[in-house]
Amino acid sequence: MSEITATATDRDAAVHTVRLEATNHDGSFLGKNVAPKKFAASAGSGFAFADLLFGLDLGNDPTFGFAYPDWRGHLADVQFRPDMSTLVQWEPGLQSVIGDYWQTDGTPVGTCPRNLARKLVDRLATHGFTATVAVEIEATLFQESIHEARAKGYRDLTPLGGSAGTAYHLAKSKDWVDYMSAVARRLEEIGIEWEAWSDEDAAGQVELNLVPGDPISVCDAWARARQVMREVAFELGHTVTFMAKPTAGYGQASHVNLSLQRDGVNAFYAEDGPSPTMRHAIGGLLATMQGATSIVLPQITSYRRLVDLSGPPTTVTWGISNKTTAVRAVCGHPAYSRPEYRVPGADANLYLAVAAILAGVIAGLDGAIEPPEPVNDMAWCAPDLERLPNTITKAAAALEADPILREQLGDEFVDYWVGTRRWEWMQFHTAGGDPFAELSEWESARYFEFP
């Protein structure tokens, strides 16, 4: 390990810092900066992080009211282990590396999002499948600097690029185009491939599509792409948010597309519609969707996005090329046949979203779960269709009671996650949240910058 580290850090004699990077359960991109010599000396054994990184909420308060896992103590240390394949030159003098959190006895921290996603990827491999995922990153850009946005409580901000909110609108002001062009250049500099970016529905909103790849690599690219978008916004005097619904306009999502390969062949392809493998995968996704909603819609504001006729799904449904359903099946193409999971909000932690999605897929394959008939009409406003949970507590209760997700994701993660979501609900109702507001000041202050 030290040999690899030395080679990496010696590529640029001016390197003065190595940044350690990982997400916590809420999706915040956390880490620390270490000197190159310290990195070379400790990369093999790991770096100590206090367990509070999984014990604080987004308001920087410790979470209480539920049982801590055995590894949680009184600020006990867990170990950050860098994945050397992710080491990149972030900017002159600064390298960055993504890693995972482990207990001191060498077992993975059960709430570490990257470890959990990898566990499900490995479990899928035992079925003879590899997965390819793609993600759409949606964000809203504002003219104000981050300091101006903070001074205004993140409210009444000016959308970057003008007030036009029509999707794919090209007549944007140059500052909007300059921002996204700068983001694209930065992504290319650190080796993150992107496919497209475009105007989204809400004023100031953008969608960035990353190149599909293996689940862990795509999640790593997602975490770093959002960091790039923040840094470029700061540098250009603007600000960006990944809140699920930062304004009264349309919300924003993180749609996840998934395909499975066996022996290099797309297992979801069939000439006349979804293959049996795709049907069973969709069956598993629908069977676990109520509980998985807690994971892919993690915050109070996540549920304000679930409005009929406004874009996101509101029902536990699937359909072929039907974007009003929760799962859209793309069929009939040897390479591109896939389900698109449309529930996650822009505030979801992609590592955990991928873990939840793979858990449903694996359960569907194991049990040969057949989905109901596809919805061929509009799935919004339909009184006879099962609705998604519309509050953070209803979704947490569904996850707690879901035996499939509990088996796939583990008791430790499920119990801890449910506890943190109930804590989030309590904080909202006792620390200034307003359930009757379209978007409360408490939510803006809590979620605009984090995750």
Side-chain angles (χ1 to χ4, degrees):
M1 179 69 75
S2 59
E3 232 176 24
I4 297 174
T5 305
T7 300
T9 53
D10 287 347
R11 282 201 302 257
D12 184 350
V15 170
H16 53 70
T17 304
V18 180
R19 186 171 68 193
L20 314 179
E21 302 171 340
T23 69
N24 67 355
H25 54 294
D26 274 319
S28 299
F29 206 35
L30 307 180
K32 65 172 67 173
N33 297 285
V34 299
K37 287 185 178 179
K38 172 64 175 178
F39 182 71
S42 303
S45 57
F47 300 83
F49 278 71
D51 66 11
L52 61 81
L53 63 90
F54 290 111
L56 297 177
D57 66 15
L58 292 174
N60 210 34
D61 293 318
T63 54
F64 294 112
F66 54 93
Y68 288 159
D70 292 340
W71 55 268
R72 281 293 315 279
H74 300 291
L75 304 185
D77 283 338
V78 294
Q79 298 296 311
F80 172 98
R81 293 185 186 175
D83 179 345
M84 296 303 297
S85 70
T86 69
L87 185 69
V88 298
Q89 192 74 32
W90 190 266
E91 61 184 41
L94 173 64
Q95 292 182 336
S96 69
V97 65
I98 290 176
D100 314 288
Y101 294 109
W102 297 78
Q103 300 181 51
T104 54
D105 65 2
T107 56
V109 169
T111 53
C112 170
R114 196 168 186 262
N115 273 335
L116 188 63
R118 186 186 296 105
K119 181 175 80 170
L120 273 296
V121 170
D122 292 344
R123 187 169 294 167
L124 182 67
T126 66
H127 291 67
F129 293 107
T130 58
T132 298
V133 301
V135 64
E136 304 167 7
I137 299 175
E138 294 184 5
T140 301
L141 316 171
F142 297 99
Q143 287 186 20
E144 287 84 354
S145 71
I146 188 61
H147 304 294
E148 293 169 326
R150 289 166 179 164
K152 297 179 72 171
Y154 311 103
R155 301 170 74 81
D156 301 319
L157 302 178
T158 309
L160 188 66
S163 59
T166 303
Y168 309 117
H169 192 67
L170 288 177
K172 309 289 286 188
S173 55
K174 191 172 183 298
D175 48 7
W176 191 88
V177 178
D178 287 345
Y179 170 80
M180 286 307 302
S181 297
V183 167
R185 288 194 299 270
R186 285 287 298 276
L187 293 176
E188 291 165 358
E189 288 170 1
I190 62 174
I192 295 177
E193 295 185 89
W194 60 277
E195 287 191 328
W197 56 264
S198 62
D199 176 34
E200 255 293 339
D201 282 333
Q205 195 175 72
V206 65
E207 178 182 302
L208 171 65
N209 305 110
L210 300 181
V211 168
D214 73 88
I216 303 303
S217 295
V218 170
C219 288
D220 292 345
W222 161 86
R224 281 177 160 164
R226 300 204 318 170
Q227 180 68 14
V228 164
M229 293 177 75
R230 286 189 170 104
E231 291 182 7
V232 171
F234 298 159
E235 292 165 6
L236 296 181
H238 304 308
T239 191
V240 61
T241 184
F242 303 96
M243 281 183 71
K245 193 171 171 63
T247 69
Y250 290 106
Q252 42 199 35
S254 291
H255 301 152
V256 179
N257 288 267
L258 169 73
S259 63
L260 298 187
Q261 296 80 38
R262 171 174 276 165
D263 300 325
V265 177
N266 187 345
F268 288 155
Y269 168 68
E271 289 186 4
D272 55 352
S275 70
T277 300
M278 186 194 277
R279 289 185 61 85
H280 295 156
I282 291 174
L285 290 174
L286 296 181
T288 57
M289 186 167 286
Q290 295 276 14
T293 296
S294 178
I295 298 169
V296 302
L297 298 180
Q299 311 300 351
I300 297 291
T301 314
S302 308
Y303 296 85
R304 296 193 187 274
R305 176 176 151 259
L306 300 185
V307 178
D308 286 321
L309 303 173
S310 68
T314 56
T315 56
V316 182
T317 51
W318 77 287
I320 297 175
S321 299
N322 188 342
K323 290 188 177 183
T324 72
T325 59
V327 177
R328 176 178 72 110
V330 179
C331 302
H333 193 287
Y336 302 134
S337 294
R338 68 196 186 277
E340 178 189 38
Y341 198 80
R342 297 179 57 81
V343 183
D347 52 357
N349 183 328
L350 187 62
Y351 294 101
L352 296 183
V354 165
I357 291 168
L358 291 181
V361 167
I362 292 169
L365 299 178
D366 282 345
I369 299 175
E370 283 291 337
E373 288 300 307
V375 174
N376 298 317
D377 298 319
M378 187 174 69
W380 294 313
C381 305
D384 58 331
L385 297 178
E386 181 184 5
R387 304 283 294 189
L388 290 171
N390 61 359
T391 69
I392 194 171
T393 49
K394 289 178 183 177
L399 175 59
E400 185 176 44
D402 189 317
I404 297 175
L405 290 175
R406 185 172 288 276
E407 177 185 359
Q408 293 288 337
L409 302 176
D411 288 334
E412 179 179 327
F413 171 77
V414 170
D415 291 341
Y416 198 72
W417 179 264
V418 168
T420 62
R421 296 315 97 186
R422 287 175 173 156
W423 171 266
E424 192 70 10
W425 177 88
M426 186 183 72
Q427 289 295 89
F428 173 74
H429 285 279
T430 60
D434 183 355
F436 301 106
E438 190 167 32
L439 179 68
S440 66
E441 294 181 9
W442 182 92
E443 292 166 84
S444 296
R446 194 172 185 87
Y447 301 137
F448 189 95
E449 292 190 55
F450 309 102

